[in-house]
Amino acid sequence: MSWAGRAWAYCDAMRVLAGLDGALLDPEAPLLRADDLAATRGDGVFETVLVVDGKPRELGPHLDRLARSAAMLDLPAPDPSAWERCVKAVISAWRGGREMALKLVYTRGPEFGDGTPTAYGMGLPIGAGALRARVEGVSALTLERGFAPEHAGRSPWLLLGAKTLSYAVNMAALRYAERQGADEVVFLASDGSVLEGPTSTVVVANGRTLRTPPPSIGILPGTTQGALFRAAERAGWTTKVERLRPDDIRGADGLFLVSSVRKVTFVHTLDGTPLPNLEPRRALHAELSDLYESEYRT
Ligand code: PLP
């Protein structure tokens, strides 16, 4: 079969799967062994890269973060050129919409195997919830995450700030929020420090200053936040990476949850209370979204 024919056969328009050798795999066929440590222990790391019009956004920072997470789990260092090959293969075979969420999955591999990690890239459509949130904004609940910022430095086994495949707690927090009528969560540390969302970075705007909490308190360094801050600095904004308190997010001109898939999303309601000045918030959201997009305009 020709390469194009094979690409079509292995692409159901909604999902594309490829290994690190760049070979396409059937997204309908089983891939993991039952004893893969990702399945039995959530023992692995991942990344989700936004691809727009065939171009992956922030691929370098995503691969750097994959390497950082892998090092925290004592996994073999990922080979960037192999991951780039995999990314290229998925993008070339994609027949879905303009945008794709590209998941890079790297696990410790089968428990009773030869120690070879499992690795693949999977292209998926963007979920309807994320598309809606980008436009309409979200309501969020602050929830305790159950650790103090100091744990990040002194308890490396907690893997704080690693993007591990153990996201059950993050998903449980989102379900809890949903039961309370909220769309999203802002995690707080036990001392009240603002951390991050279950799948997003917190950014606040005050005047022409953007602020986000530091990764040193046990959160992920966000690639979207990085891109937004670069664009904002070019446009004359001041950016700061510093600790935030609940009052900082409540009292800000704008509160945002940013991530690769949702891009820049504004929070309109916090802990059941609508945040004031909705229209100026919307305008700020439009401005920051435009700044973020400007990072990728050529
Ligand atoms: N924090 C957490 C816990 C996440 O899971 C994510 C992304 O999924 C982010 C922050 C945002 O990271 P990025 O902007 O690189 O997608």
Side-chain angles (χ1 to χ4, degrees):
M1 198 189 300
S2 71
W3 187 88
R6 211 167 64 236
W8 187 249
Y10 285 161
C11 165
D12 62 5
M14 298 302 276
R15 284 170 303 157
V16 179
L17 188 62
L20 289 201
D21 59 358
L24 294 172
L25 301 162
D26 181 353
E28 288 293 313
L31 176 68
L32 292 187
R33 269 175 51 165
D35 65 343
D36 194 291
L37 286 159
T40 57
R41 296 197 200 276
D43 197 356
V45 298
F46 77 106
E47 283 295 321
T48 306
V49 181
L50 178 66
V51 180
V52 183
D53 294 332
K55 295 190 186 70
R57 291 190 170 176
E58 303 300 307
L59 183 58
H62 277 290
L63 292 181
D64 288 349
R65 196 170 64 187
L66 188 76
R68 177 181 179 271
S69 299
M72 289 172 80
L73 270 72
D74 306 310
L75 286 166
D79 171 5
S81 58
W83 284 98
E84 279 161 15
R85 189 162 53 226
C86 169
V87 165
K88 226 171 162 174
V90 172
I91 291 175
S92 305
W94 179 250
R95 301 288 180 275
R98 281 188 62 201
E99 291 192 12
M100 165 175 68
L102 173 49
K103 270 191 196 295
L104 308 178
V105 179
Y106 185 45
T107 92
R108 201 174 300 281
E111 185 168 4
F112 300 98
D114 62 3
T116 306
T118 302
Y120 56 89
M122 180 169 51
L124 301 164
I126 310 290
L131 293 175
R132 197 174 334 108
R134 284 182 194 175
V135 179
E136 294 177 4
V138 293
S139 56
L141 209 57
T142 52
L143 293 180
E144 247 198 83
R145 182 62 178 80
F147 65 81
E150 299 73 57
H151 281 118
R154 75 168 187 237
S155 313
W157 57 88
L158 293 181
L159 301 178
L160 301 175
K163 196 164 167 65
T164 78
L165 288 165
S166 311
Y167 260 43
V169 167
N170 303 39
M171 297 301 108
L174 285 172
R175 288 195 303 276
Y176 179 88
E178 201 179 323
R179 284 198 293 276
Q180 316 300 312
D183 309 306
E184 268 295 346
V185 169
V186 173
F187 281 132
L188 303 179
S190 53
D191 69 350
S193 299
V194 174
L195 293 170
E196 61 189 343
T199 61
S200 61
T201 307
V202 174
V203 172
V204 296
N206 274 300
R208 306 298 284 173
T209 300
L210 295 180
R211 289 186 295 160
T212 194
S216 59
I217 63 173
I219 59 176
L220 289 189
T223 64
T224 312
Q225 168 268 318
L228 174 63
F229 276 31
R230 279 201 312 272
E233 280 162 21
R234 267 208 312 272
W237 289 65
T238 301
T239 63
K240 291 183 181 169
V241 178
E242 63 185 24
R243 289 204 196 188
L244 300 174
R245 308 293 304 174
D247 280 352
D248 295 319
I249 60 172
R250 240 175 277 286
D253 298 339
L255 167 60
F256 303 93
L257 294 175
V258 310
S259 76
S260 302
V261 166
R262 96 199 55 215
K263 301 185 176 179
V264 179
T265 297
F266 78 102
V267 178
H268 53 65
T269 304
L270 190 61
D271 293 330
T273 304
L275 293 167
N277 308 319
L278 182 61
E279 283 319 309
R281 275 176 201 275
R282 279 192 198 282
L284 197 48
H285 172 240
E287 184 175 353
L288 292 184
S289 295
D290 206 43
L291 273 180
Y292 163 75
E293 292 297 336
S294 73
E295 191 59 21
Y296 305 104
R297 269 179 220 134
T298 46

